[in-house]
């Protein structure tokens, strides 16, 4: 049996139900692993399609293809997929699509050793500083929700918070995120919980007190952690929460004897910074070399996916995401918008006490930004700080060791 969570019965059935592919799977003699559905023009496509984070299969004998072709999405090049050289008339076309990045966890005995070998001294100093400062300013704790460690009620709460943080993040970036499309999000929410109960998935959560501030959906094989979706609360950007979250996840992965932490497909700067190895995701097209129809379909599919990759390399997908964002039906809640975005924050010593100060208990987005900057710059703990609003339009922050007024410029 192939050890891959995306080949599990749970993942396959949930995907089929979510995307309208509940018909009886098409059997393809000779290929072991994924199930297939029959699409247009005789294309047999793997269940899971582009929603897996790494498809795996083996070839046991020549495939029972006639005029069809077999299309398998998202095959990482580091997976050991046997080639069909001896399986005439079956032929394979491999089309590169996305870059992938991973950390070889089994090369390190601890997070400290990983940081020592991966980063320069100055970078290590900053990373430790970010982690320390976050813990000093807030009540930080981490947890991997796995197995029966989470009730369905708690799971629903976390997943709702997960979506809230993703929406907040991509509204700030003014980009469309396909994971937030209703059908996709419903799929991820429906499939994750049963897989968590079977320890084939998990939610890695960083909390400030009881408030989740970073959430990562991961899938598991015996040796691999697949990072599927990750997000952090952008209010904590000053503390480099994204980096701190990765440090905690690496630490957990090494402690639990995983060999790889796979950041999955797609290029992002943080992946290149943290990864120890890069690879490619490929689309595999298997066809019958003795059938003109099968060969023609394979060539058309190859050229189509090569064109998509060319356009992707020209960043047209980023432009598309910007355009899609503008046409999103959901409107941004104006109460969460800030006129101060992009402005600088100035903290000054208190010179004249404003007698009309009003203590604030509920913080608006602009006050949260001021508050978190004050904590970071003055190394104060959130529980020790009081916030006041003055008649002059300035905010006063009073901590255990410092007192400052703040305003935007």
């Amino acid at each position: 049996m192939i050890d891959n969570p995306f080949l599990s019965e749970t993942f396959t059935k949930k995907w089929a139900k979510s995307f309208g592919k509940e018909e009886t799977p098409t059997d393809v003699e000779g290929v072991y692993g994924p199930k297939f559905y029959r699409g247009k023009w005789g294309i047999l496509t793997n269940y899971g399609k582009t929603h897996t984070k790494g498809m795996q299969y083996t070839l046991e004998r020549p495939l029972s293809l006639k005029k069809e072709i077999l299309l398998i999405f998202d095959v990482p090049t580091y997976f050991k997929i046997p080639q069909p050289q001896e399986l005439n008339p079956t032929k394979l076309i491999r089309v590169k699509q996305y870059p992938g990045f991973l950390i070889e966890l089994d090369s390190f005995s601890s997070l400290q050793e990983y940081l020592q070998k991966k980063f320069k001294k100055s970078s290590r100093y900053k990373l430790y500083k970010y982690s320390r400062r976050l813990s000093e300013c807030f009540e930080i704790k981490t947890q991997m929700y796995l197995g029966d460690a989470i009730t369905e009620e708690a799971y629903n709460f976390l997943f709702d918070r997960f979506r809230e943080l993703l929406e907040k993040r991509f509204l700030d970036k003014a980009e469309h995120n396909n994971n937030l499309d209703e059908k996709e999000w419903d799929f991820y929410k429906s499939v994750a919980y049963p897989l968590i109960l079977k320890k084939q998935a998990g939610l890695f959560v960083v909390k400030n007190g009881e408030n989740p501030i970073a959430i990562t959906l991961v899938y598991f094989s015996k040796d691999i952690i697949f990072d599927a979706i990750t997000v952090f609360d952008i209010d904590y950007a000053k503390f480099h929460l994204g980096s701190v979250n990765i440090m905690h996840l690496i630490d957990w992965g090494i402690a639990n004897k995983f060999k790889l932490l796979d950041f999955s497909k797609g290029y992002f700067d943080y992946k290149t910074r943290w990864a120890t190895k890069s690879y490619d995701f490929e689309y595999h097209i298997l066809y019958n070399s003795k059938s003109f129809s099968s060969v023609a379909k394979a060539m058309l599919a190859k050229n189509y996916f090569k064109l998509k990759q060319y356009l992707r390399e020209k960043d047209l997908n980023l432009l598309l995401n910007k355009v899609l964002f503008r046409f999103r039906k959901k409107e941004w809640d104006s109460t969460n918008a800030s006129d101060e975005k992009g402005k600088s924050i100035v903290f000054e010593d208190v010179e004249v006490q404003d007698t009309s100060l009003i203590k604030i208990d509920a913080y608006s987005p602009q006050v949260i930004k001021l508050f978190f900057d004050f904590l970071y710059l003055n190394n104060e703990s959130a529980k020790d700080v009081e916030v006041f609003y003055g008649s002059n339009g300035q905010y006063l922050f009073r901590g255990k060791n410092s007192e400052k007024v703040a305003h935007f410029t």
Side-chain angles (χ1 to χ4, degrees):
M1 182 177 180
I2 299 175
D3 178 29
N4 184 306
F6 312 113
L7 296 175
S8 68
E9 184 178 4
T10 299
F11 187 93
T12 300
K13 285 186 174 180
K14 291 290 186 181
W15 184 88
K17 183 176 180 180
S18 295
F19 296 95
K21 304 298 180 184
E22 293 183 275
E23 66 268 20
T24 302
T26 300
D27 290 326
V28 181
E29 293 183 9
V31 61
Y32 179 73
K35 296 181 179 180
F36 297 88
Y37 66 91
R38 185 178 296 273
K40 296 179 179 179
W41 306 300
I43 298 177
L44 300 173
T45 305
N46 67 285
Y47 274 64
K49 205 173 178 182
T50 59
H51 296 97
T52 79
K53 303 304 172 185
M55 186 49 61
Q56 213 162 353
Y57 68 96
T58 61
L59 297 174
E60 299 174 340
R61 53 185 175 275
L63 306 188
S64 55
L65 296 174
K66 295 179 181 179
K67 297 180 180 180
E68 307 96 343
I69 65 171
L70 206 64
L71 176 58
I72 303 176
F73 287 89
D74 293 340
V75 181
T77 51
Y78 73 89
F79 282 178
K80 296 178 180 179
I81 305 297
Q83 301 303 299
Q85 285 93 341
E86 306 300 323
L87 300 179
N88 286 328
T90 302
K91 299 294 183 182
L92 169 65
I93 297 173
R94 303 152 63 115
V95 186
K96 184 177 79 170
Q97 286 294 287
Y98 297 91
F101 303 89
L102 59 80
I103 299 175
E104 298 153 303
L105 296 178
D106 58 348
S107 297
F108 312 98
S109 61
S110 65
L111 171 66
Q112 290 70 29
E113 183 185 359
Y114 163 78
L115 294 174
Q116 180 75 28
K117 293 182 177 180
K118 177 63 177 174
F119 295 99
K120 295 180 179 179
K121 183 177 180 180
S122 59
S123 296
R124 293 198 305 273
Y125 170 79
K126 290 177 181 178
L127 290 169
Y128 284 127
K129 176 185 174 182
Y130 301 149
S131 181
R132 183 178 64 252
R133 188 62 57 86
L134 183 69
S135 295
E136 290 171 346
C137 294
F138 305 100
E139 298 176 24
I140 297 298
K141 53 186 176 181
T142 64
Q143 184 172 354
M144 177 66 82
Y145 288 92
L146 183 65
D148 57 5
I150 184 171
T151 65
E152 189 167 5
E153 181 182 5
Y155 171 79
N156 288 331
F157 166 77
L158 280 176
F159 233 84
D160 289 344
R161 175 63 173 163
F162 199 5
R163 183 181 180 94
E164 178 186 330
L165 291 177
L166 276 170
E167 288 179 339
K168 184 177 179 179
R169 174 68 176 131
F170 282 90
L171 284 165
D172 183 71
K173 294 177 69 174
E175 289 182 9
H176 172 77
N177 182 281
N178 62 287
N179 292 323
L180 292 171
D181 292 344
E182 184 176 357
K183 186 179 289 188
E184 290 208 16
W185 187 256
D186 288 347
F187 162 66
Y188 286 119
K189 187 173 182 179
S190 69
V191 76
Y193 187 62
L195 288 180
I196 287 173
L197 295 179
K198 295 179 180 180
K199 297 186 177 181
Q200 292 179 303
L203 284 175
F204 188 73
V205 182
V206 180
K207 295 182 179 179
N208 173 13
E210 294 304 315
N211 181 38
I213 59 175
I215 303 176
T216 304
L217 170 63
V218 296
Y219 297 101
F220 299 110
S221 67
K222 180 178 179 294
D223 297 320
I224 305 172
I225 303 171
F226 297 94
D227 182 337
I229 307 173
T230 188
V231 70
F232 66 90
D233 191 335
I234 58 174
D235 289 340
Y236 294 79
K238 187 80 173 180
F239 296 85
H240 295 262
L241 177 56
S243 293
V244 176
N245 179 56
I246 293 174
M247 290 169 66
H248 284 302
L249 185 54
I250 292 171
D251 191 34
W252 186 91
I254 293 175
N256 286 274
K257 310 301 182 183
F258 282 92
K259 293 182 179 180
L260 302 176
L261 170 56
D262 190 339
F263 289 125
S264 192
K265 60 186 175 184
Y267 177 89
F268 291 95
D269 288 339
Y270 80 88
K271 293 184 181 183
T272 61
R273 186 181 185 211
W274 291 89
T276 60
K277 181 179 180 178
S278 62
Y279 62 95
D280 291 313
F281 277 86
E282 297 176 337
Y283 290 175
H284 285 194
I285 304 166
L286 290 146
Y287 64 99
N288 178 2
S289 61
K290 293 186 177 180
S291 165
F292 174 81
S293 179
S294 182
V295 172
K297 291 171 186 174
M299 295 302 110
L300 284 172
K302 178 187 75 170
N303 292 330
Y304 170 73
F305 290 123
K306 281 192 170 184
L307 175 61
K308 287 189 70 174
Q309 176 61 10
Y310 171 79
L311 296 176
R312 197 178 293 121
E313 290 172 352
K314 298 300 181 182
D315 291 333
L316 290 186
N317 59 313
L318 299 179
L319 176 61
L320 178 61
N321 284 336
K322 294 287 187 181
V323 172
L324 287 174
F325 174 81
R326 292 182 178 275
F327 285 94
R328 286 183 64 186
K329 293 181 180 179
K330 181 173 181 178
E331 296 182 356
W332 170 234
D333 183 356
S334 61
T335 60
N336 288 324
S338 174
D339 293 334
E340 284 76 20
K341 185 176 180 179
K343 294 183 180 179
S344 299
I345 299 173
V346 175
F347 287 98
E348 299 173 341
D349 292 328
V350 178
E351 296 181 355
V352 179
Q353 187 68 53
D354 188 338
T355 57
S356 62
L357 290 174
I358 300 173
K359 186 178 178 181
I360 301 174
D361 294 316
Y363 301 156
S364 66
Q366 71 169 26
V367 175
I368 288 175
K369 179 168 179 55
L370 293 169
F371 181 44
F372 283 11
D373 276 28
F374 173 80
L375 296 178
Y376 185 87
L377 296 172
N378 296 280
N379 200 21
E380 292 276 4
S381 175
K383 61 181 173 47
D384 296 328
V385 177
E386 294 180 314
V387 183
F388 300 87
Y389 182 70
S391 59
N392 57 2
Q394 294 183 330
Y395 294 91
L396 171 67
F397 295 87
R398 182 178 294 156
K400 182 178 287 187
N401 304 306
S402 54
E403 188 175 76
K404 301 283 185 180
V405 292
H407 58 88
F408 291 96
T409 60

